[in-house]
Amino acid sequence: MTAEVRVRYAPSPTGHLHIGNARTALFNYLFARNQGGKFIIRIEDTDVKRNVAGGEENQLTYLKWLGIDWDESIDIGGGYGPYRQTERLDIYRQYWKELLDRGLAYRCYCTEEELEREREEQTERGETPRYSGKHRNLTPEQQQAFESEGRVASIRFRVPEGKTYAFDDMVKGSISFDTTEMGDFVIVKKDGIPTYNFAVVLDDHLMKISHVLRGEDHISNTPRQLMIYEAFGWEPPVFAHMTLIVNENKKKLSKRDESIIQFIEQYDDLGYLPEALFNFITLLGWSPEGEQEMFTRDELVAVFNSNRLSKSPAVFDTQKLSWMNGEYMKKADLARVVDLCLPHLQQAGCIPDTLDAVGREWVTALVALHQDKLRFAADIVPVTELFFRETVADEEEAAAVLSEEQVPTVLGQFLALLEAKAAPFTADGIKEMIKTVQKESGFKGKALFMPIRAALTGQTHGPDLNQSIALLGEPKVIARLKARLG
């Protein structure tokens, strides 16, 4: 095994970047950067029927969006390419031919129907379904007879009998498998495409991968891969199988679980900040020392220790993610938050698709007023809806405030000052007019401010009142006050 740390993230372009795959990429990236090693992205695209248009591009686009960079891949090259499996078929061919020549693999002509019937019979007998080995020792004449029928062979690896394969996992500790219940497995499909367990070993070895960090659902693949390493006399990498991500009901995260947003692209669309997601995902199955939860990327690189990978399932806490992103939103540059919020306001029909300088300034002030309340950018629509509706819908507390006896006096005096243009219609000018109402009416505190807020917004709580009134605009404010006063 090479002394240099070399790790890889190897997605299949069968879909967009999922939260679980993003975590795998993140842990590999952090491990490599912490160790001063190399992070490689390899595209495992041999399952051609399941590949989707744009899947490969989406993976790379959203890894970059998260803040991950890499040292070798299809887009930047490297010394161990090609980095796309369908471009490595000639490499795989020479190795499976070697296994055939050495008798460590053989051609199997069984049809899918025969294999299915065999599995059903084994299940009925209470046995673990596995390939029986019926074509393990075919004579050349038998092979020729099958080929004369038009049968196409797959290639199976000859599993050693009665042998134990063991490895020390960085997360799980010592793990071992006995080959007694393992049937000979396919390493090359009938279409000449290698299977995952064969191709991944060749790629990892030839690319000098030193450590393999992946999900625990791959544990059952490891003994088969160890057999391939052994067959070629190669040293396997160090394995680390990360625990599952589960939902808040402790159920394995399923792509059909609609309670959790699961694709990175969806978080981008909602206006989450990539650095917040980077931080949150890193804490799914890994924990730092101490109580700190908020980290920059560089800080996570510095403190990432594989010994801190969790042995228990990682719970995807949606509320914690919203809280964490909200904390990042509070600290983000205002212009950046405005850029994130604009498309959501436009899609909701709140503002025009094209804004002039005045319109941009108004939206900037609106976002600034609500920035500390945003969990993510899409929140700007519901939290600011009172600025865009024609009528005011009163909350229960607001209705109670508006029934108080001083309300007509407060609203009437405030309206009179507005119509008389007693001060400029700005936050500061509005503040002065409300002070004048206080002096003239004798009402102050909640008796003064609550009726004005309730009358204009239908709420009793919200952001700065003076700025809110200024953003509502003079015509709308006057219209709402007149409506209240009848």
Side-chain angles (χ1 to χ4, degrees):
M1 185 169 63
T2 177
E4 181 185 42
V5 167
R6 288 176 57 84
V7 298
R8 48 73 172 177
Y9 167 60
S12 300
T14 55
H16 292 182
L17 182 59
H18 184 262
I19 204 88
N21 292 335
R23 183 187 70 163
T24 297
L26 265 176
F27 284 0
N28 277 279
Y29 168 79
L30 290 169
F31 181 73
R33 294 291 178 258
N34 176 270
Q35 297 292 312
K38 296 290 193 298
F39 175 56
I40 296 100
I41 293 182
R42 182 175 72 227
I43 303 297
E44 297 186 343
D45 62 342
T46 53
D47 194 351
V48 179
K49 291 180 181 178
R50 294 183 59 227
N51 292 345
V52 300
E56 187 177 286
E57 180 184 3
N58 186 274
Q59 291 275 337
L60 298 183
T61 295
Y62 280 96
L63 288 173
K64 289 177 183 175
W65 180 83
L66 278 171
I68 296 175
D69 59 272
W70 44 90
D71 302 292
E72 302 168 27
S73 189
I74 58 172
D75 57 338
I76 57 175
Y80 299 90
Y83 293 91
R84 187 181 284 112
Q85 282 189 332
T86 52
E87 297 173 5
R88 298 174 62 82
L89 298 181
D90 288 342
I91 297 173
Y92 304 136
R93 188 174 295 110
Q94 71 181 79
Y95 284 98
W96 59 253
K97 284 185 174 180
E98 178 185 336
L99 293 180
L100 283 174
D101 292 342
R102 293 168 57 199
L104 298 178
Y106 60 92
R107 288 183 168 84
C108 172
Y109 296 86
C110 291
T111 65
E112 288 302 318
E113 292 75 19
E114 289 172 331
L115 293 171
E116 180 60 29
R117 187 162 56 249
E118 184 175 87
R119 286 191 290 267
E120 288 175 354
E121 291 171 352
Q122 290 170 335
T123 301
E124 288 173 2
R125 294 194 297 268
E127 301 172 1
T128 302
R130 66 189 180 101
Y131 177 62
S132 65
K134 62 194 298 184
H135 286 185
R136 214 172 199 251
N137 299 301
L138 293 178
T139 64
E141 292 76 21
Q142 288 172 315
Q143 290 187 33
Q144 183 59 51
F146 282 127
E147 290 176 7
S148 298
E149 292 178 22
R151 294 199 189 195
V152 178
S154 61
I155 298 174
R156 289 184 181 271
F157 185 81
R158 200 181 294 273
V159 173
E161 297 179 10
K163 187 166 183 176
T164 298
Y165 286 86
F167 63 98
D168 287 321
D169 190 274
M170 290 168 64
V171 179
K172 304 289 185 180
S174 180
I175 300 175
S176 62
F177 292 87
D178 191 283
T179 62
T180 304
E181 294 296 322
M182 297 174 65
D184 296 341
F185 57 94
V186 175
I187 58 172
V188 183
K189 294 174 284 188
K190 293 181 180 182
D191 60 5
I193 303 293
T195 59
Y196 167 76
N197 279 320
F198 185 62
V200 74
V201 170
L202 298 182
D203 291 341
D204 284 348
H205 174 74
L206 296 174
M207 293 181 182
K208 298 190 180 334
I209 300 302
S210 63
H211 297 74
V212 172
L213 283 70
R214 58 189 181 185
E216 68 176 24
D217 50 331
H218 281 287
I219 288 178
S220 60
N221 289 321
T222 309
R224 293 175 176 83
Q225 293 167 17
L226 291 174
M227 293 176 203
I228 304 294
Y229 279 107
E230 181 183 65
F232 289 113
W234 298 336
E235 183 179 355
V238 177
F239 291 100
H241 289 93
M242 299 168 290
T243 56
L244 297 173
I245 301 176
V246 297
N247 63 22
E248 290 167 14
N249 296 319
K250 305 298 190 293
K251 301 291 185 183
K252 179 182 176 182
L253 203 61
S254 163
K255 291 179 181 178
R256 294 183 296 275
D257 185 349
E258 296 182 357
S259 68
I260 293 174
I261 300 169
Q262 299 198 32
F263 293 95
I264 302 302
E265 183 176 3
Q266 293 172 290
Y267 287 100
D268 181 26
D269 290 344
L270 286 168
Y272 278 78
L273 295 175
E275 59 268 35
L277 218 53
F278 189 109
N279 192 158
F280 175 79
I281 295 172
T282 302
L283 300 178
L284 289 174
W286 176 85
S287 60
E289 294 183 13
E291 300 300 318
Q292 183 178 345
E293 289 189 300
M294 306 280 284
F295 295 88
T296 65
R297 180 179 63 172
D298 289 344
E299 286 172 339
L300 285 169
V301 167
V303 302
F304 189 82
N305 185 334
S306 59
N307 293 333
R308 305 285 301 177
L309 288 168
S310 175
K311 294 176 171 56
S312 303
V315 178
F316 193 103
D317 186 336
T318 54
Q319 290 186 335
K320 182 174 180 178
L321 173 56
S322 293
W323 165 81
M324 182 173 285
N325 197 74
E327 293 299 303
Y328 276 88
M329 292 289 279
K330 290 176 186 176
K331 299 172 185 175
D333 180 73
L334 175 59
R336 182 186 181 196
V337 179
V338 170
D339 286 339
L340 289 171
C341 290
L342 269 175
H344 296 284
L345 290 168
Q346 289 165 335
Q347 289 164 19
C350 299
I351 59 174
D353 291 340
T354 303
L355 287 177
D356 58 17
V358 174
R360 173 85 187 196
E361 184 179 355
W362 184 86
V363 171
T364 299
L366 182 74
V367 173
L369 190 61
H370 296 87
Q371 183 172 353
D372 65 345
K373 295 291 189 294
L374 298 178
R375 298 169 301 161
F376 44 86
D379 266 351
I380 194 66
V381 174
V383 302
T384 63
E385 55 92 21
L386 69 89
F387 289 88
F388 303 103
R389 64 187 182 211
E390 292 303 316
T391 58
V392 180
D394 293 337
E395 295 177 353
E396 188 175 339
E397 288 184 17
V401 167
L402 291 170
S403 67
E404 294 172 2
E405 61 180 1
Q406 85 281 14
V407 171
T409 301
V410 170
L411 298 186
Q413 290 187 8
F414 185 45
L415 175 60
L417 291 169
L418 288 169
E419 291 185 315
K421 300 189 183 299
F425 195 83
T426 62
D428 288 340
I430 290 162
K431 183 178 180 180
E432 288 304 314
M433 286 188 276
I434 293 177
K435 279 185 178 179
T436 300
V437 173
Q438 178 180 328
K439 291 177 184 175
E440 293 180 355
S441 69
F443 296 112
K444 59 183 180 180
K446 288 185 177 181
L448 171 66
F449 298 110
M450 282 292 195
I452 296 174
R453 183 183 293 278
L456 296 176
T457 69
Q459 302 169 359
T460 55
H461 302 284
D464 182 85
L465 179 59
N466 302 319
Q467 293 183 50
S468 296
I469 294 172
L471 284 169
L472 275 169
E474 190 172 10
K476 189 171 287 187
V477 169
I478 289 175
R480 289 184 180 181
L481 288 173
K482 286 183 174 180
R484 294 294 188 181
L485 291 166

